[in-house]
């Protein structure tokens, strides 16, 4: 048993830390710290900074232009980027489609799309979920029919994160309705500017716009936009779901949240004393810290297994469940710390000098509500438990 | 023993439910709750015509009720539709004015809107740390997140007066009022007073303020029960309708049991609110009000979070009514003392 990183790993950590200290622009850092909007411009600029260093596609091997990192280096990078208040890399092209193309795509697709992802030429979004197909993704209905040298697509996707910025969407579509559900699905790439594609915004609980509905009406795309084999899309979807699951605990983000909560509770005064001295609030923070401390190790243990075995196992569902719950608890503490001062609608006091919350905390309630999504998407925590029941308990 | 409403209260409940169900449908509610003036002045008038405010004050103060159960009936109905009208301010002001023996005809008729400024930035719950002061009949200080303050004609302001608290009446026109929408809809305001002309309503007002807060707590808890009940029904209905894996998700036992846990907590909530309402105005009012607010804070979080989770993505949207219920239920915890604050009060007064 040895809980220390190797000297090489520590050196790498320092290198990453220095890189962020020198290269992360203040405005981007502030936007992350204050929960401001991470605009398309910000994200593209941030991606370009990482790309210049060769650190953008953290999961890609060297041959495709990635840094060729293993799980431990990725983990260190994630931790340090969080600690520096860098944004989360937009995952759709880099974390999702990239690995899919590397494993299932044709040489031509790899040569065309991968560099464009790295260079930020194409913004991708994920077209999996449909109004009737959420947890039960395999029941999806969006139809693609072959017509000459084109696919003709009709149907609807929903919950499409940042689809409003996207140039391309990768979709799971039904190409054979007459076989077992999982066996009639294909993975197809669609240029969002194709006639018949329509994006409509969905407003979220806290008022933000980050997800969309995407409608397809007789959308024609070339046959060569199929990735992998026809009707083998489910294999790709499953590959994606198990790929790079070691980061899903979001430990780096939670560590940052914990620090924020602690700092906030020292700033907030309650009748002449800092909130941090309120025993009940302090106990809540301590409880969260204990859970997070254990989670750090649980995360590292699974990372270690992944490093050893070459791939993460099904137990990573534990990371998703507990990681989201801990992060949600910390978001709750952030909101709770402000008491009634968390209640003003974000931005409703901007322009006045009557702030009710310390800088960076005016939208703590909004963050809390928005964050409820994390236990729903990416396979809900109930679905993760179903997976664990089967894989770990054998029941 | 009898847990039925009296005939009068039943009539009040029926008429409010009919009116609000008809006039405060969620689309309308969301429209007015997030746009200036963050409530609907016309509906305020109609609501007061129905006697909603008269029910909040006792007969000798010109009202027709004023007991804990009257307050409960009114606020549970407001909670069921997430009504953004500034009724809480009226209730708390009425309690203070009753204690002062002041004429409250204009309040109860709805003609004059009152808001009560108690909490401050650094003293949101416990009022022993207030820094608003009075000098030569003029009040200075800042009251933070004053619910209904954006729409108030008159403020009742708690201020430090030597060793005790006093309540002063300040005209909105004599204060600097910055109104805004709340995360969960409806409005509030930052109220800044700089030597604002003020009329003393109550000196040595600690006990009266405590009573007003207790009444406000009973109101908020009742509102939460109304909102939780609606959100729970909505969730159960959705579990029955939404199909995944070829069957209603309500057939998954894990969701069934959690919906039952929600129900259990709502029943517990209802019970503690009945107790707090029964004790309001009596010697143990504070203890039971605090018990209620603590329990409702815990139950509310469970109900709101589980409702969202069990709906899946749909409850994360603005368009789905359930999301607004969840927001209101969560944010109620931060009004007039959260679950921790009230827990410590129960521990102290035990
Ligand atoms: C903010 C946000 C962003 C998203 N971004 C994207 C995106 O970019 N691209 C994309 O394709 N999708 C995206 N999603 C969709 C997301 O993956 C789905 O919301 C998720 O799969 C759940 O599906 P659902 O919302 O239809 O809920 P449902 O599947 O209807 O589930 C409702 C409830 O039932 C439970 N449940 C379902 N089946 C079972 C079972 N067998 N046993 C026990 N409980 C069960 C669920 O856990 C949940 O609690 C996003 C969602 C959100 C909220």
């Amino acid at each position: 048993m040895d809980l220390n990183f190797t000297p090489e790993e520590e050196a790498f950590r320092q290198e990453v830390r220095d890189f962020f200290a020198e290269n992360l622009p203040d405005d981007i850092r502030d936007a992350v710290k204050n929960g401001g909007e991470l605009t398309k411009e910000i994200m593209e600029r941030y991606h370009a900074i990482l790309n210049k260093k060769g650190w953008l596609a953290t999961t890609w091997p060297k041959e495709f232009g990635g840094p060729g990192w293993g799980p431990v280096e990725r983990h260190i990078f994630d931790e340090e980027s969080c600690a520096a208040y860098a944004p989360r890399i937009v995952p759709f092209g880099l974390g999702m489609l990239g690995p899919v193309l590397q494993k299932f795509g044709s040489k031509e697709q790899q040569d065309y799309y991968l560099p464009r992802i790295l260079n930020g030429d194409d913004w991708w979004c994920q077209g999996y979920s449909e109004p009737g197909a959420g947890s039960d993704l395999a029941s999806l209905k969006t139809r693609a029919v072959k017509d000459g040298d084109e696919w003709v697509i009709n149907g609807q996707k929903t919950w499409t994160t940042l689809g409003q910025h996207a140039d391309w969407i990768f979709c799971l579509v039904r190409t054979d309705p007459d076989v077992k559900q999982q066996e009639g699905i294909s993975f197809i790439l669609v240029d969002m500017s194709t006639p018949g594609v329509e994006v409509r915004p969905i407003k979220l609980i806290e008022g933000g716009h980050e997800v969309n509905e995407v409608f397809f009406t007789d959308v024609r795309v070339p046959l060569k936009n199929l990735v992998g084999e026809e009707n083998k899309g489910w294999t790709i979807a499953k590959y994606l779901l198990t790929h790079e699951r070691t980061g899903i605990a979001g430990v780096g983000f939670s560590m940052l949240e914990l620090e924020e909560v602690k700092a906030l509770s020292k700033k907030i005064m309650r009748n002449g004393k800092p909130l941090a001295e309120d025993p009940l609030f302090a106990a809540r923070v301590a409880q969260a810290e204990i859970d997070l401390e254990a989670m750090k190790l649980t995360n590292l243990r699974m990372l270690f297994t992944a490093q050893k075995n070459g791939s993460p196992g099904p137990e990573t569902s534990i990371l998703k469940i507990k990681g989201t719950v801990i992060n949600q608890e910390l978001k709750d503490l952030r909101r709770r710390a402000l008491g009634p001062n968390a209640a003003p609608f974000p931005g409703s006091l901007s322009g006045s000098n009557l702030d009710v919350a310390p800088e960076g905390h005016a939208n703590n309630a909004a963050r809390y509500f928005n964050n409820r999504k994390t236990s729903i998407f990416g396979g809900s925590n109930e679905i993760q438990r179903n997976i664990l029941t089967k894989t770990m308990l054998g029941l | 023993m009898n847990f039925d409403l009296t005939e009068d209260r039943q009539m009040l409940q029926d008429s409010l439910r009919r009116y609000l169900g008809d006039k405060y449908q969620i689309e309308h509610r969301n429209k007015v709750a997030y746009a200036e003036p963050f409530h609907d002045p016309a509906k305020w008038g109609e609501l007061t015509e129905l006697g909603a405010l008269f029910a909040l004050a006792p007969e000798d103060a010109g009202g027709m009720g004023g007991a804990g159960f009257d307050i409960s009936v009114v606020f549970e109905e407001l909670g069921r539709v997430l009504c953004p009208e500034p009724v809480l301010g009226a209730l708390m002001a009425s309690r203070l004015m009753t204690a002062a023996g002041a004429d409250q005809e204009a309040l109860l008729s709805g003609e004059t809107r009152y808001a009560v400024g108690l909490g401050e930035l650094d003293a949101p719950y416990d009022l022993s740390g207030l820094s608003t002061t009075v000098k030569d009949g003029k009040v200075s200080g800042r009251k933070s997140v004053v619910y209904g303050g954006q729409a108030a004609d008159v403020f009742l302001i708690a201020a430090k007066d030597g060793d005790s608290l006093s309540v002063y009446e300040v005209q909105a026109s004599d204060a600097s009022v910055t109104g805004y929408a709340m995360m969960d809809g409806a409005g509030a305001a930052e109220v800044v007073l700089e030597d604002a002309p003020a009329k003393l309503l109550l000196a040595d007002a600690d006990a009266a303020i405590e009573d007003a807060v207790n009444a406000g707590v009973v109101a908020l808890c009742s509102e939460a029960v109304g909102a939780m009940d609606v959100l729970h029904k909505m969730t159960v209905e959705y579990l029955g309708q939404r199909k995944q894996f070829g069957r209603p998700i309500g057939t998954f036992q894990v969701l069934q049991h959690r919906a039952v846990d929600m129900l259990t907590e709502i029943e517990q909530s209802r019970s503690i609110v009945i107790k707090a309402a029964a004790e309001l105005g009596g010697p143990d009012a504070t203890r039971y009000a605090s018990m209620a607010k603590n329990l409702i804070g815990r139950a509310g979080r469970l109900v709101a979070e589980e409702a969202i989770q069990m709906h899946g993505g749909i409850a994360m949207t603005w368009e789905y009514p359930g999301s607004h219920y969840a927001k209101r239920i969560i944010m109620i915890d931060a009004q007039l003392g959260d679950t921790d604050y009230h827990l410590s009060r129960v521990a102290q007064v035990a």
Side-chain angles (χ1 to χ4, degrees):
Chain A
M1 216 51 87
D2 176 3
L3 301 190
N4 296 310
F5 287 92
T6 65
E8 295 76 32
E9 287 161 352
E10 288 297 352
F12 175 65
R13 182 184 292 281
Q14 193 57 49
E15 187 190 351
V16 178
R17 193 171 291 177
D18 293 343
F19 172 80
F20 280 111
E22 281 157 32
N23 294 287
L24 186 67
D26 288 345
D27 69 313
I28 298 185
R29 181 179 185 280
D30 289 348
V32 173
K33 191 162 169 40
N34 299 336
E37 195 195 345
L38 295 173
T39 58
K40 184 176 190 181
E41 188 279 326
I42 284 186
M43 290 314 301
E44 288 183 334
R45 189 150 46 93
Y46 175 59
H47 285 180
I49 289 167
L50 290 179
N51 191 37
K52 199 165 148 226
K53 175 78 180 167
W55 285 357
L56 176 59
T58 59
T59 59
W60 296 13
K62 284 208 165 100
E63 56 173 311
F64 293 113
W69 288 338
V72 174
E73 285 146 315
R74 279 206 294 277
H75 169 78
I76 290 172
F77 176 84
D78 284 348
E79 267 191 358
E80 290 303 320
S81 70
C82 285
Y85 291 98
R88 198 189 290 251
I89 294 168
V90 180
F92 307 110
L94 291 153
M96 296 180 179
L97 183 65
V100 161
L101 291 178
Q102 289 157 24
K103 186 154 171 87
F104 300 96
S106 65
K107 176 86 175 46
E108 189 195 341
Q109 287 170 337
Q110 292 172 348
D111 289 346
Y112 180 74
Y113 292 111
L114 294 178
R116 295 179 62 85
I117 292 174
L118 282 178
N119 296 331
D121 297 327
D122 299 326
W123 183 298
W124 283 89
C125 64
Q126 180 190 23
Y128 276 24
S129 305
E130 298 181 3
S135 298
D136 182 14
L137 186 58
S139 69
L140 60 91
K141 289 201 171 67
T142 296
R143 191 80 168 89
V145 179
K146 244 186 252 178
D147 183 27
D149 54 4
E150 288 175 326
W151 295 103
V152 183
I153 304 176
N154 280 287
Q156 182 197 342
K157 295 293 172 183
T158 190
W159 306 120
T160 319
T161 298
L162 300 182
Q164 71 266 37
H165 301 327
D167 306 298
W168 286 79
I169 181 169
F170 55 90
C171 294
L172 290 177
V173 292
R174 185 150 306 284
T175 35
D176 187 347
D178 299 324
V179 291
K180 205 176 142 227
Q181 278 183 344
Q182 286 81 350
E183 287 160 17
I185 292 171
S186 299
F187 192 103
I188 293 183
L189 312 177
V190 180
D191 182 340
M192 302 278 281
S193 66
T194 317
V197 178
E198 192 201 339
V199 180
R200 289 186 210 157
I202 296 175
K203 189 170 165 184
L204 284 184
I205 180 168
E206 84 294 351
H209 174 204
E210 61 184 54
V211 297
N212 305 272
E213 299 179 285
V214 183
F215 295 86
F216 299 84
T217 313
D218 293 327
V219 174
R220 293 181 163 267
V221 303
L223 287 184
K224 66 174 186 192
N225 285 18
L226 174 77
V227 176
E229 287 175 50
E230 187 175 343
N231 295 326
K232 288 282 187 317
W234 191 247
T235 315
I236 300 181
K238 275 200 306 193
Y239 170 76
L240 239 183
L241 284 177
T242 53
H243 186 81
E244 225 291 276
R245 289 172 57 91
T246 45
I248 57 176
V251 169
F253 289 98
S254 289
M255 281 161 61
L256 206 61
E257 290 285 342
L258 180 67
E259 290 314 310
E260 290 279 331
V261 167
K262 286 183 170 177
L264 180 64
S265 69
K266 287 182 191 131
K267 260 186 231 158
I268 298 234
M269 297 301 284
R270 290 280 163 86
N271 298 302
K273 276 204 261 169
L275 178 63
E277 289 176 26
D278 172 0
L280 291 176
F281 190 80
R284 284 182 190 272
V285 176
Q287 196 80 78
E289 182 165 7
I290 293 167
D291 288 346
L292 179 56
E293 202 53 44
M295 179 90 281
K296 276 195 230 166
L297 268 287
T298 306
N299 192 45
L300 287 175
R301 283 170 55 215
M302 291 183 183
L303 206 74
F304 180 73
T305 311
Q307 180 106 315
K308 225 170 43 178
N309 299 350
S311 73
E315 69 275 10
T316 48
S317 285
I318 291 172
L319 299 178
K320 167 82 192 330
I321 296 171
K322 200 68 195 176
T324 53
V325 168
I326 290 172
N327 194 267
Q328 289 176 335
E329 179 64 21
L330 289 163
K331 292 276 196 310
D332 177 76
L333 292 177
R334 268 183 100 126
R335 171 183 57 75
R336 195 179 286 276
L338 292 181
N341 303 329
F345 198 77
S348 64
L349 269 168
S350 62
S352 94
N353 56 359
L354 291 171
D355 285 337
V356 294
E359 199 195 346
H361 293 278
N363 48 13
N364 280 5
R367 294 193 205 200
Y368 160 81
F369 286 111
N370 178 280
N371 199 247
R372 301 311 305 173
K373 69 189 175 189
T374 59
S375 50
I376 296 171
F377 66 23
S380 73
N381 283 9
E382 289 73 29
I383 294 301
Q384 303 294 341
R385 285 183 176 91
N386 287 349
I387 293 172
L388 288 166
T389 304
K390 274 201 201 113
T391 55
M392 302 296 290
L393 308 183
L395 292 173
Chain B
M1 207 159 304
N2 183 357
F3 284 102
D4 294 336
L5 292 177
T6 60
E7 210 171 301
D8 286 351
R9 291 188 182 123
Q10 188 62 57
M11 272 166 58
L12 178 64
Q13 183 184 70
D14 291 346
S15 68
L16 282 174
R17 191 167 296 189
R18 225 173 306 122
Y19 171 78
L20 293 168
D22 191 29
K23 293 297 172 68
Y24 252 110
Q25 295 191 358
I26 192 77
E27 297 76 18
H28 178 74
R29 182 269 173 189
N30 286 347
K31 207 170 82 197
V32 298
Y34 289 98
E36 274 188 79
F38 312 115
H39 78 116
D40 181 340
K43 299 262 181 322
W44 168 261
E46 290 169 15
L47 199 58
T48 54
E49 269 164 38
L50 279 175
L53 300 187
F54 282 103
L56 305 178
E59 273 172 40
D60 53 9
M64 298 186 319
F69 295 126
D70 299 306
I71 297 169
S72 274
V73 164
V74 171
F75 278 86
E76 183 174 341
E77 293 313 310
L78 297 175
R80 298 184 71 84
V81 298
L82 306 178
C83 183
E85 298 304 325
V87 185
L88 183 71
L91 165 68
M92 292 176 66
S94 165
R95 296 300 281 198
L96 293 169
M97 292 167 82
T98 300
D103 176 23
Q104 44 185 306
E105 171 62 26
L107 184 158
L108 298 178
S109 68
E111 198 183 304
T112 305
R113 278 190 298 256
Y114 282 75
V116 177
L118 300 178
E120 297 173 2
L121 264 187
D122 293 345
Y125 302 148
D126 177 351
L127 304 180
S128 64
L130 292 191
S131 60
T132 299
T133 52
V134 193
K135 216 175 111 199
D136 305 331
K138 302 200 168 189
V139 180
S140 297
R142 172 177 166 190
K143 294 295 176 182
S144 193
V145 194
V146 178
Y147 280 77
Q150 89 290 356
D153 306 304
V154 180
F155 290 98
L156 299 188
I157 300 290
K160 251 211 143 78
D161 225 350
D163 281 343
S164 63
L165 298 175
S166 296
V167 177
Y168 285 85
E169 195 179 302
V170 176
Q171 301 301 311
S173 51
D174 289 327
S176 156
V177 180
T178 307
Y180 45 80
M182 310 293 276
M183 186 71 227
D184 50 331
E190 295 306 293
V191 181
V192 178
L193 306 159
E194 284 169 23
D195 284 329
K199 199 176 97 196
L200 179 69
L201 180 74
L202 260 180
D204 285 323
D206 294 70
I209 291 175
E210 188 167 323
D211 170 71
V213 169
N214 289 340
V217 164
V218 167
L220 287 169
C221 290
S222 307
E223 185 186 344
V225 167
M228 287 196 284
D229 188 44
V230 172
L231 182 56
H232 182 250
K233 290 205 165 75
M234 212 183 272
T235 305
V236 172
E237 198 177 312
Y238 191 75
L239 292 179
Q241 278 169 10
R242 171 70 171 171
K243 285 197 177 141
Q244 290 288 275
F245 304 99
R247 51 198 262 206
I249 57 175
T251 60
F252 297 122
Q253 206 164 47
V254 65
L255 301 185
Q256 294 171 347
H257 286 188
R258 285 157 63 185
V260 169
D261 289 347
M262 288 165 75
L263 178 66
T264 306
E265 292 303 319
I266 295 170
E267 289 302 325
Q268 285 280 88
S269 299
R270 196 177 278 289
S271 299
I272 200 77
V273 179
I274 290 173
K275 179 68 178 165
E279 298 286 340
L280 185 67
D284 293 327
T286 297
R287 174 172 165 76
Y288 290 105
S290 280
M291 282 193 179
K293 195 70 174 38
N294 169 268
L295 197 155
I296 294 279
R298 290 183 282 131
R301 184 176 175 199
L302 177 105
V303 168
E305 292 184 352
E306 287 287 68
I308 294 177
Q309 183 67 25
M310 296 204 288
H311 272 89
I314 188 81
M316 285 297 300
T317 66
W318 189 274
E319 198 180 337
Y320 189 73
S323 68
H324 297 279
Y325 280 85
K327 281 189 289 187
R328 180 68 193 127
I329 292 166
I330 290 285
M331 299 312 291
I332 279 178
D333 188 46
Q335 259 177 290
L336 299 181
D338 68 2
T339 186
D340 286 355
Y341 171 73
H342 285 285
L343 181 64
S344 63
R345 287 222 309 183
V346 174
Q348 274 163 23
V349 293

